[in-house]
Structure formats: C-alpha cells, structure tokens
Amino acid sequence: MELQLTRPDDWHLHLRDGQLLQSVVHHSAKHFGRAIVMPNLKPPVTTTATAVAYRESILKALPAGSAFNPLMTLYLTDNTSPEEIKLARQSGVVYGIKLYPAGATTNSQDGVTDIFGRCLPVLEEMIEHNMPLLVHGEVTDPVVDTFDREKVFIETVLGPLVERLPKLKVVMEHITTSDAVRFVESCREGFVAATVTPQHLLLNRNALFQGGLRPHNYCLPVLKRETHRQAIVSAVTSGSKRFFLGTDSAPHDRQKKECSCGCAGIYSAPVALSLYAKVFEEANALDKLEAFTSFNGPDFYGLPRNSSKIILRKNPWRVPDSYSFASGEIIPMFAGETLDWLPFNN
C-alpha cells in the first residue's frame, strides 16, 4: 500500500546552528519542501539582517542539489521596532514573528514580558504587512500549574489579543489541549490557525513516566492528559483547514537530555511523516492526511502549494537508536521502535 502526497512543509522547526545544524538539516530537507525555522538561537535572531545571515548558513549546510527552502522568523522582544517589521517583509525571506513569553521554553529568556504594554505598535505594523505572529502559548507565572499554562495563556493573553487585533494573523504553535482546539475553532478562519506536533498526537503525559523518567519524551509545552490528546487527534483528522503540520523537532545532545536538569525538546524530523501517517491511519482518515501535511499550511501563509510529490509506503522500518554528530548523539522520537510507513521521494 502506498500514498502519493504533495510534498509537505514543516511549519515549526528547530535547526540550531553550528555542528548541530550541519548534522540535522538533511533530515528535514529530505522530504519537506519548506520549513518555518525558529529563531531561538544564542543569541536570538532578532533582526532581519541576522535572519538573512542565518538562512545563508542553513543553505550552506544543505546536501548538494537540495531544493529545501528555509522560511525565516524573527524573535519578538520588548524592544522590537515597527521599522524592523518593514525590513522583514521587504527582505522576502522572513515569514513570521515569534512570540516567546520570557522564560517559556529553550532560549526564551529574551522573550516578551508584556505584550500589551510593549508590543502593540509592532503588532499593528505586522497587520499592515500581513506578517503572522507565531505564538508559544504558555504563561510563565510560577503560580500557574505547568499543565494549565496553555489554558491560562488563552484566557489571559491570546483571547484578549485576538479580540483587540482581529486582523492580526496568528499561529498558535504546538497546541496541547482541548482548550486550544476550541479556541482555534472559535476564531475567524484564515486569521487564527494552529500547528500540531507528532508527540502531542501520539503521546500523553504518562509517556513521561512509564517504567521511570523518560527525558526524551519531555518537551514544552509538556504532554497533557489523554482526553486532550484525543481532542487534538479529532480536530486534526476532521479535515479542518485550521490545523497543519509543525513538528517542533528540537535536537539536543543526549547528555543535555539525560541529566539532572534536562532540556525540553523532542527530535522528530527523521520520523515525523511516518508518525503523522500512523495517526491518520489509526483514525481511519488517511484521505485527510495530505491537506494537513501539504495544503493547510501554505494556504494560511498565502504561499503556493509545492508542485513536487513524495510517496508514503507501507514498508516497516526500525527507527535508529540514535544519530551521531561531531560532539555527541541525538536520540530521535520512537528510537528503536518499528514504524509502518516510510517516505520516499517521488
């Protein structure tokens, strides 16, 4: 059995830089046409000039002959200027502005502390230039329970923001709760959408603790209850145009995951398409897979769909235990397990 799909895009990807970039970019470039590349480097990508330079480093790291197109983003701070939004749009390579609430996830310490008090002129400029806001949707107040951070963010930040700026295009990234599903579905279509990761479709929070602590299943936003997972699967496999593929693939050295204070992030790039196919097959919705992987994202961003194709074939394969790079190794999602679907370039 095989499926022919329009080449997918990844609308939320971490490629890192340096040796790590050179070791992982080929996994995404092999089967994805484009990817929205996250800007949370050290230091973060806060200007158009640094985004252009980062893009050049990605292109240099690609395998020979690759047509992979990195779509760049800027890291929103309290000090981002409206003029920077104009420069970003004029560059032709920046496609979104990323909102990290300060302290929400990896390398987010330079993020926004007060979006209404510090960022409204920038957001208004983004509306003028049809530049989407890409949101890590969690509050960082230590009083709020970790498992409630997304829900509270919707109630206190994102809901009021969308109401105040209804023409702002917003992507709520890596949604994890039924609350997020309901919020996205309640908003005006074409203005608010969501990316969904393989881990939040396949795993619930029990996966963090099965037989012991499982650091390679730790990501932010953290995995949630089974009821939330089921709600996300139902939304994604319904055929709704509001949801699209965004792996949030986030490579970390094994030693930085397996330690006393491990990094958040799951490396899914090599297995993502196989895992999404698994989700849609189990939901008897393989006919909806192509829209999720290949149509809904470019349609929301106002970009053409890819013209090339890939093949997903029922061909069981074993996920490697790890991937080596110059100074360590990365453990992929579902390491050592057998998956049914294998992607091939057409």
Side-chain angles (χ1 to χ4, degrees), residues 19-179:
Q19 292 179 345
L20 203 48
L21 164 64
Q22 295 172 23
S23 301
V24 303
V25 67
H26 68 283
H27 284 145
S28 295
K30 187 174 183 180
H31 299 299
F32 291 103
R34 298 165 288 198
I36 287 281
V37 180
M38 292 296 106
N40 58 330
L41 304 181
K42 288 184 177 181
V45 180
T46 58
T47 68
T48 302
T50 53
V52 170
Y54 182 29
R55 183 173 186 271
E56 287 302 312
S57 68
I58 295 169
L59 293 175
K60 289 178 182 178
L62 288 172
S66 174
F68 180 76
N69 183 13
L71 310 179
M72 309 312 293
T73 60
L74 299 188
Y75 185 118
L76 184 65
T77 74
D78 289 344
N79 300 312
T80 302
S81 69
E83 182 63 27
E84 195 63 56
I85 304 304
K86 295 178 185 177
L87 293 173
R89 179 52 79 199
Q90 291 168 2
S91 74
V93 302
V94 176
Y95 288 84
I97 309 298
K98 181 62 184 269
L99 168 62
Y100 289 107
T105 189
T106 303
N107 296 343
S108 64
Q109 62 272 14
D110 297 308
V112 171
T113 61
D114 180 4
I115 192 166
F116 293 105
R118 304 296 295 270
C119 298
L120 281 180
V122 170
L123 299 176
E124 290 166 350
E125 191 70 25
M126 289 168 60
I127 294 172
E128 290 298 314
H129 294 279
N130 197 31
M131 182 72 77
L133 180 69
L134 317 181
V135 177
H136 182 111
E138 293 189 286
V139 296
T140 56
D141 185 341
V143 172
V144 177
D145 188 284
T146 295
F147 295 99
D148 295 331
R149 286 167 59 166
E150 184 172 278
K151 179 176 184 291
V152 174
F153 183 87
I154 293 168
E155 294 170 348
T156 61
V157 180
L158 192 54
L161 180 64
V162 169
E163 185 174 343
R164 184 162 182 171
L165 298 173
K167 294 183 180 180
L168 179 67
K169 295 195 76 163
V170 176
V171 179
M172 189 175 185
E173 299 194 303
H174 45 48
I175 62 168
T176 68
T177 62
S178 57
D179 308 276

Side-chain angles (χ1 to χ4, degrees), residues 203 207-208 210 214-219 223 257 265-266 333-334:
L203 305 176
L208 289 165
Q210 289 174 341
R214 301 288 183 172
H216 299 288
N217 288 337
Y218 172 55
C219 60
L223 301 170
K257 293 286 290 179
I266 295 176
M333 187 175 176
F334 278 43

Side-chain angles (χ1 to χ4, degrees), residues 19-20 23 252-255 322-331:
Q19 292 179 345
L20 203 48
S23 301
H252 289 286
D253 188 308
R254 180 175 190 160
Q255 293 183 351
S322 65
Y323 293 98
S324 297
F325 69 104
S327 59
E329 61 179 346
I330 306 164
I331 309 301

Side-chain angles (χ1 to χ4, degrees), residues 246-296:
T247 64
D248 193 18
S249 181
H252 289 286
D253 188 308
R254 180 175 190 160
Q255 293 183 351
K256 292 184 178 180
K257 293 286 290 179
E258 299 176 4
C259 60
S260 61
C261 188
C263 294
I266 295 176
Y267 187 55
S268 62
V271 297
L273 290 178
S274 301
L275 295 178
Y276 286 121
K278 171 181 170 67
V279 170
F280 278 75
E281 182 180 35
E282 290 176 352
N284 294 314
L286 282 173
D287 60 316
K288 308 288 198 315
L289 178 62
E290 186 176 33
F292 173 77
T293 62
S294 312
F295 297 162
N296 297 348

Side-chain angles (χ1 to χ4, degrees), residues 311-326:
I311 300 294
L312 273 173
R313 189 171 295 146
K314 262 295 184 70
N315 184 13
W317 64 287
R318 184 180 182 276
V319 180
D321 294 325
S322 65
Y323 293 98
S324 297
F325 69 104

